[in-house]
């Protein structure tokens, strides 16, 4: 792996990120895409939040129980922020953040950043800034590929590298996103946008 995204000088170790995913398989696939994107920027993944420089929790906000589980887990992971004397960054992504980001931002000062379901391309830059590392865009070669596609004027599905977070012999494949129906009982269009 190249040194892209790594900190120059005495702090040559890459930023370590712990990723936790809650909710459906769409969130799981989003987390794998985010992991691949992070690794392509020289950020490494770790399996224990205590060992991480930053913690990312990909949340669900579809039903009340899922919202409650996501909020409880955010607070549990926030306990790692000051553990061991080193300040860790806490980033919340996914459906809960997409739908309730403004309210959560006001109510959860423990969280350093909230990113919605179409904001994963911003994740490496935000994590590098929050952890004090040098931005890959500032130290890289400047020919970074576009990792988003545009469909009907809206952000599309995240493309590019992907890192398997479970068994290597199977993977989820997201072939569509969102929904254009506006059923009164369903929150998918308000969270994930129109069908694409």
């Amino acid at each position: 792996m190249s040194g892209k995204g790594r900190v120059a000088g005495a702090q040559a170790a890459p930023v370590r990120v712990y990723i936790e995913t809650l909710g459906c398989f769409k969130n799981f696939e989003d987390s794998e895409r985010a992991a691949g994107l992070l690794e392509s920027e020289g950020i490494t993944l770790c399996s224990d939040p205590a060992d991480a420089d930053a913690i990312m929790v990909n949340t669900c906000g579809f039903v009340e129980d899922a919202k409650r589980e996501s909020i409880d887990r955010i607070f549990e992971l926030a306990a790692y922020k000051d553990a061991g004397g080193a300040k860790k960054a806490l980033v919340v992504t996914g459906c809960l953040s997409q739908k309730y980001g403004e309210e959560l931002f006001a109510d959860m000062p423990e969280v350093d950043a909230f990113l919605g379901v179409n904001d994963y391309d911003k994740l490496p830059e935000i994590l590098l800034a929050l952890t004090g590392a040098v931005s890959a865009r500032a130290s890289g070669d400047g020919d970074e590929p576009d990792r988003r596609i545009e469909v009907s004027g809206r952000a599309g599905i995240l493309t590019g590298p992907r890192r398997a977070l479970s068994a290597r012999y199977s993977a989820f494949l997201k072939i569509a996103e969102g929904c254009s129906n506006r059923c009164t009982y369903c929150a998918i269009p308000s969270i994930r946008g129109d069908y694409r």
Side-chain angles (χ1 to χ4, degrees):
M1 179 183 294
S2 72
K4 190 175 183 186
R6 296 176 191 265
V7 179
Q11 301 174 352
V15 172
R16 296 167 310 209
V17 177
Y18 170 79
I19 297 176
E20 184 159 326
T21 305
L22 305 171
C24 70
F25 295 125
K26 284 185 182 274
N27 275 3
F28 193 77
E29 202 268 353
D30 287 343
S31 289
E32 289 190 337
R33 296 277 181 196
L37 180 60
L38 293 173
E39 284 187 332
S40 76
E41 295 291 334
I43 297 169
T44 61
L45 304 178
C46 64
S47 59
D48 187 344
D51 297 332
D53 300 307
I55 298 167
M56 180 191 114
V57 58
N58 191 352
T59 60
C60 180
F62 188 65
V63 296
E64 200 59 41
D65 286 344
K67 289 186 259 186
R68 195 171 12 265
E69 177 189 13
S70 292
I71 290 169
D72 289 346
R73 190 60 184 148
I74 292 166
F75 284 124
E76 289 169 7
L77 290 169
Y80 287 96
K81 282 191 67 160
D82 296 318
K87 187 85 169 152
K88 299 177 191 303
L90 178 58
V91 176
V92 175
T93 65
C95 296
L96 185 75
S97 188
Q98 177 73 31
K99 188 166 183 182
Y100 302 104
E102 295 293 324
E103 298 158 45
L104 294 172
F105 185 77
D107 293 339
M108 299 177 110
E110 301 85 356
V111 177
D112 297 296
F114 291 92
L115 299 174
V117 297
N118 295 316
D119 296 330
Y120 289 102
D121 59 334
K122 300 172 187 168
L123 190 58
E125 186 173 359
I126 288 171
L127 287 174
L128 291 170
L130 287 172
T131 58
V134 175
S135 170
R137 288 184 180 86
S139 62
D141 54 19
D143 62 349
E144 185 165 328
D146 182 14
R147 292 188 181 86
R148 315 251 325 130
I149 57 172
E150 290 293 322
V151 180
S152 302
R154 297 190 61 127
I157 298 170
L158 185 66
T159 62
R162 181 173 173 180
R163 165 75 147 65
L165 297 175
S166 64
R168 291 186 174 265
Y169 53 82
S170 68
F172 294 100
L173 176 63
K174 189 187 308 185
I175 58 172
E177 184 68 280
C179 183
S180 295
N181 296 326
R182 299 288 189 244
C183 303
T184 57
Y185 59 84
C186 183
I188 296 232
S190 66
I191 294 172
R192 295 242 173 212
D194 290 333
Y195 178 82
R196 53 201 185 281

